Amino acid sequence: MDKFQAFGKNISASFTPFAARTQQYVKEQLGQADDKTQLPPDYIELEKRVDALKKVHNTMLQVTSQYANEAYDYPTNIRESFNDLGRTVSEKVNLLSAATSPAEAQAALTAPPSAKPQPKTFSHAVARAALNSSHVLSGEHSGAGEDPLATALEKYAIASEKVGEARLAQDAQIQSRFLAGWSTTLNTNIMFATRARKAVENSRLSLDATKANARAPGFHLPGQPAPKSGGEEELSEEARAKIEQAEDEFVGQTEEAVGVMKNVLDTPEPLRNLADLIAAQLEYHKKAYEILSELAPVVDQLQVEQEVRRHQSSDF
């Protein structure tokens, strides 16, 4: 029997604060709370700033999380076969250049049984389409030399694959240096701030419930008069001590939450992560520019040579 009573006391001790907070919350929602402890203006300002920061993180991550999806720019209207994805463009070009028969050329385009599928990015898809097109033209070319368009498409295919690889390197950098950092800030730092704010709200409800119970004991339903409140001077020493204890708890939780929120707002990590995102994008676009800048004059020269041959042939 003693054990049962002790168990009941333990349950009551842990449940009572929650019940008091709940009762106070209901009173406030019903408009029955006579007085509600106000949070400091500076605290409320910090809350607004943390809420804004959380919204920014959710908004940015909703979009930039696509960098974790390899095929975010892959065309949805194309259908590539296992053979299309079986080898890299560079491998196919090397095998095609070494082929001495149509059968060997076709084998170069056929994926080995254990082939790992190649990346599905827009640049890789363009590279594969360009190489296949080059092969088609070369197979039907019967004149002297090489078909200039086939040659240009092959070179474009190699360049496009390099651009695709640069994009994948960019994505890997963004995932590790931006997405991981911002996700940590959102799911750890901002979450800690949210928990600290919840602790402040709970201590505030407990404080107001303690005051209400000390000055006007009892809960009344809507439409019923509240019990007559006692003045500050009518409070017992025990009631004063409970209020002071609740006030100390509220102040302590508020100060802790202020520190946590300031830490979240002042940390340089989000800005550092954003700088890393921009650096990764810059490196990718720089590489793409260098690759295409090297290719462009080569294709221009092929076009000029074709124009010269065309004029020469028309003179005869």
Side-chain angles (χ1 to χ4, degrees), residues 84-98 108-109 118-119 123-124 127-128 130-132 153-165 291:
D84 292 327
L85 300 171
R87 299 182 191 273
T88 68
V89 165
S90 299
E91 288 175 334
K92 290 178 181 179
V93 169
N94 291 333
L95 290 172
L96 286 171
S97 63
L109 299 176
Q118 295 303 302
S123 293
H124 283 88
R128 290 188 287 265
L131 183 61
N132 289 339
L153 283 169
E154 180 181 290
K155 293 182 181 297
Y156 179 51
I158 295 173
S160 293
E161 184 175 63
K162 291 180 180 178
V163 171
E165 291 301 314
I291 293 166

Side-chain angles (χ1 to χ4, degrees), residues 205-272:
L205 287 170
S206 295
L207 171 59
D208 290 345
T210 301
K211 290 179 179 179
N213 289 335
R215 294 169 182 166
F219 177 75
H220 59 283
L221 296 174
Q224 294 182 346
K228 185 178 180 180
S229 299
E232 189 73 28
E233 66 282 355
E234 298 179 18
L235 296 178
S236 65
E237 288 300 322
E238 181 182 1
R240 291 176 187 274
K242 288 183 177 180
I243 291 176
E244 288 179 2
Q245 182 180 359
E247 287 176 341
D248 290 342
E249 176 69 15
F250 172 65
V251 171
Q253 293 291 354
T254 302
E255 290 177 347
E256 181 177 346
V258 166
V260 173
M261 289 192 288
K262 284 185 175 181
N263 181 64
V264 170
L265 294 169
D266 294 342
T267 179
E269 284 303 312
L271 190 55
R272 184 182 296 121

Side-chain angles (χ1 to χ4, degrees), residues 14-310:
S14 61
F15 178 73
T16 299
F18 173 77
R21 291 196 302 268
T22 303
Q23 184 181 27
Q24 180 65 23
Y25 177 79
V26 172
K27 284 183 178 181
E28 292 178 358
Q29 295 303 306
L30 295 176
Q32 295 182 347
D34 296 330
D35 188 22
K36 179 178 178 180
T37 301
Q38 299 300 314
L39 292 163
D42 291 346
Y43 179 91
I44 296 175
E45 182 65 24
L46 286 174
E47 282 191 314
K48 292 179 179 178
R49 291 179 60 196
V50 170
D51 287 340
L53 185 64
K54 180 178 181 180
K55 182 178 180 180
V56 166
H57 274 68
N58 281 322
T59 299
M60 286 294 293
L61 287 173
Q62 187 177 20
V63 177
T64 56
S65 61
Q66 287 300 306
Y67 282 113
N69 172 25
E70 178 187 282
Y72 64 75
D73 63 351
Y74 184 74
T76 58
N77 62 321
I78 64 173
R79 297 291 182 270
E80 294 187 295
S81 67
F82 176 75
N83 284 334
D84 292 327
L85 300 171
R87 299 182 191 273
T88 68
V89 165
S90 299
E91 288 175 334
K92 290 178 181 179
V93 169
N94 291 333
L95 290 172
L96 286 171
S97 63
T100 58
S101 68
E104 289 183 357
Q106 185 59 43
L109 299 176
T110 302
S114 59
K116 177 183 176 182
Q118 295 303 302
K120 283 190 172 184
T121 74
F122 180 71
S123 293
H124 283 88
V126 169
R128 290 188 287 265
L131 183 61
N132 289 339
S133 298
S134 173
H135 179 66
V136 170
L137 290 176
S138 298
E140 299 299 325
H141 183 67
S142 57
E146 298 180 348
D147 185 305
L149 180 56
T151 301
L153 283 169
E154 180 181 290
K155 293 182 181 297
Y156 179 51
I158 295 173
S160 293
E161 184 175 63
K162 291 180 180 178
V163 171
E165 291 301 314
R167 202 222 78 181
L168 291 177
Q170 168 205 245
D171 296 353
Q173 291 292 321
I174 291 175
Q175 289 177 53
S176 63
R177 297 185 178 181
F178 176 78
L179 294 180
W182 274 48
S183 295
T184 297
T185 298
L186 177 64
N187 298 323
T188 302
N189 298 11
I190 295 178
M191 182 181 293
F192 285 160
T194 300
R195 290 175 180 173
R197 291 166 61 182
K198 182 63 176 177
V200 170
E201 177 63 10
N202 286 340
S203 65
R204 200 274 305 166
L205 287 170
S206 295
L207 171 59
D208 290 345
T210 301
K211 290 179 179 179
N213 289 335
R215 294 169 182 166
F219 177 75
H220 59 283
L221 296 174
Q224 294 182 346
K228 185 178 180 180
S229 299
E232 189 73 28
E233 66 282 355
E234 298 179 18
L235 296 178
S236 65
E237 288 300 322
E238 181 182 1
R240 291 176 187 274
K242 288 183 177 180
I243 291 176
E244 288 179 2
Q245 182 180 359
E247 287 176 341
D248 290 342
E249 176 69 15
F250 172 65
V251 171
Q253 293 291 354
T254 302
E255 290 177 347
E256 181 177 346
V258 166
V260 173
M261 289 192 288
K262 284 185 175 181
N263 181 64
V264 170
L265 294 169
D266 294 342
T267 179
E269 284 303 312
L271 190 55
R272 184 182 296 121
N273 299 148
L274 181 60
D276 289 336
L277 166 64
I278 296 170
Q281 291 177 322
L282 176 62
E283 180 65 18
Y284 161 59
H285 289 291
K286 180 181 177 182
K287 286 185 177 180
Y289 172 80
E290 292 172 350
I291 293 166
L292 295 176
S293 293
E294 184 178 343
L295 172 66
V298 175
V299 175
D300 286 342
Q301 183 61 32
L302 288 170
Q303 189 266 332
V304 170
E305 292 174 356
Q306 185 183 38
E307 285 288 342
V308 171
R309 287 195 298 270
R310 178 171 175 271

